[in-house]
Amino acid sequence: MSLHRLLIAVMIGPELARWKAGGHAPVFWWRDDDARRPTPALDRLLALSLRFEAPITLAAVPDGDIAALSKACRAVPGAELAVHGFRHENRAPPGWPSGEVNDLDRLADVMSELSTAIEVFRRARVTPRLFVPPWNNAHPTLKQALGLRGLSLSCYGDMRDQAEPDRLDAHLDVMRWKPEPRFRGAVRFLLRTRRLLAERRSKRAWDEPLGLLTHHLDHDAEAWRFLEAFLPVARPVARTAIGKPAVKTAATSRPVAARAG
């Protein structure tokens, strides 16, 4: 058994056993950011998706080769493309959080940028359903524009909320970013995974998804090795198989035998 498999068994195995004893299994989904065109790293990522039957949502920047990315995704069951910003440019004023949309932007201008991005995907015969803002920064003006165009939103870190029923975040980033991109480390990653699983169990939020977040262009060897160990345990489902958040007073469940929601 590899070190990563051993750590997974020791660190989250008991928590997964508690879920199973209660007749449930956690719902994982998988998002990967920053795609622009096919690369050897993307080929490796999609090969993992295919090998482990793990559907993936690939967030692609509109200034890339969307047609080529669409062709690559069509060869992998469950793979989908999402819109990843407009040009992935940081337009935040100095001292503000990184992002493409800020307080100085008018709704009309954001709508125009969004329409242009959507049209790029449509020319590649892709009808986008999800928008992933760069740096996970969803400015209120951007949220308003997405609502007007009927696109769902994915950022990072939050559980679903009835106030934003079309939002589905990622929660588990395999990378650390400062001072430079590198694998987060199995222990750090699994500690967060265990905490979020226990939080959902304690709240009886059995169907509350956990989103795995990857950035294939930045992975080092350890990140790739860890994914090979984690994916068969997480068994991600397609984003499109995940329903809207349940009413908080309702006790929803998913049998262990079920693969997808």
Side-chain angles (χ1 to χ4, degrees):
M1 180 180 291
S2 71
L3 176 59
H4 288 155
R5 293 181 193 278
L6 179 61
L7 286 171
I8 290 169
V10 170
M11 295 187 66
I12 66 172
E15 181 60 33
L16 293 175
R18 294 183 187 100
W19 279 68
K20 185 175 181 179
H24 303 279
V27 180
F28 288 89
W29 74 288
W30 184 10
R31 192 186 98 203
D32 184 274
D33 289 358
D34 295 349
R36 277 191 162 93
R37 58 190 55 83
T39 62
L42 181 64
D43 291 343
R44 186 172 183 178
L45 184 85
L46 294 179
L48 286 178
S49 175
L50 190 62
R51 173 183 170 190
F52 294 112
E53 299 181 359
I56 188 168
T57 296
L58 192 66
V61 186
D63 63 6
D65 191 341
I66 304 302
L69 291 173
S70 176
K71 181 179 179 181
C73 285
R74 285 197 298 270
V76 180
E80 69 164 344
L81 286 177
V83 182
H84 193 29
F86 307 140
R87 285 170 292 278
H88 208 300
E89 294 178 352
N90 182 16
R91 298 182 53 256
W96 290 25
S98 297
E100 283 192 319
V101 179
N102 59 60
D103 289 351
L104 303 178
D105 292 319
R106 301 182 306 161
L107 176 61
D109 294 330
V110 176
M111 288 290 295
S112 177
E113 291 276 20
L114 182 58
S115 295
T116 298
I118 292 172
E119 182 58 29
V120 169
F121 279 70
R122 287 182 173 169
R123 286 200 299 268
R125 299 183 179 180
V126 176
T127 301
R129 305 293 184 190
L130 181 70
F131 189 94
V132 180
W135 299 281
N136 297 294
N137 186 344
H139 189 276
T141 305
L142 174 61
K143 290 183 180 181
Q144 186 177 359
L146 294 176
L148 291 171
R149 290 306 303 261
L151 266 67
S152 299
L153 171 67
S154 182
C155 294
Y156 187 83
D158 288 340
M159 295 177 70
R160 294 179 300 172
D161 190 323
Q162 288 179 296
E164 293 184 282
D166 294 318
R167 176 170 173 171
L168 180 63
D169 282 1
H171 309 88
L172 301 168
D173 192 347
V174 302
M175 302 296 291
R176 296 181 69 185
W177 298 99
K178 295 180 180 180
E180 59 186 19
R182 65 194 187 282
F183 177 48
R184 179 173 298 277
V187 172
R188 285 176 178 266
F189 181 92
L190 293 169
L191 282 172
R192 178 172 172 82
T193 304
R194 184 172 66 188
R195 177 173 63 80
L196 295 181
L197 285 171
E199 177 186 19
R200 283 154 173 76
R201 177 174 53 80
S202 67
K203 293 180 177 180
R204 303 185 64 81
W206 305 112
D207 288 334
E208 182 61 32
L210 271 171
L212 170 66
L213 179 60
T214 58
H215 289 74
H216 64 278
L217 293 174
D218 295 294
H219 290 179
D220 53 23
E222 279 299 298
W224 288 114
R225 280 194 286 268
F226 181 78
L227 283 175
E228 288 197 0
F230 186 72
L231 286 172
V233 176
R235 301 178 69 230
V237 302
R239 180 193 67 86
T240 53
I242 298 173
K244 299 291 180 67
V247 177
K248 290 184 178 180
T249 56
T252 58
S253 64
R254 183 168 76 104
V256 169
R259 169 66 196 271

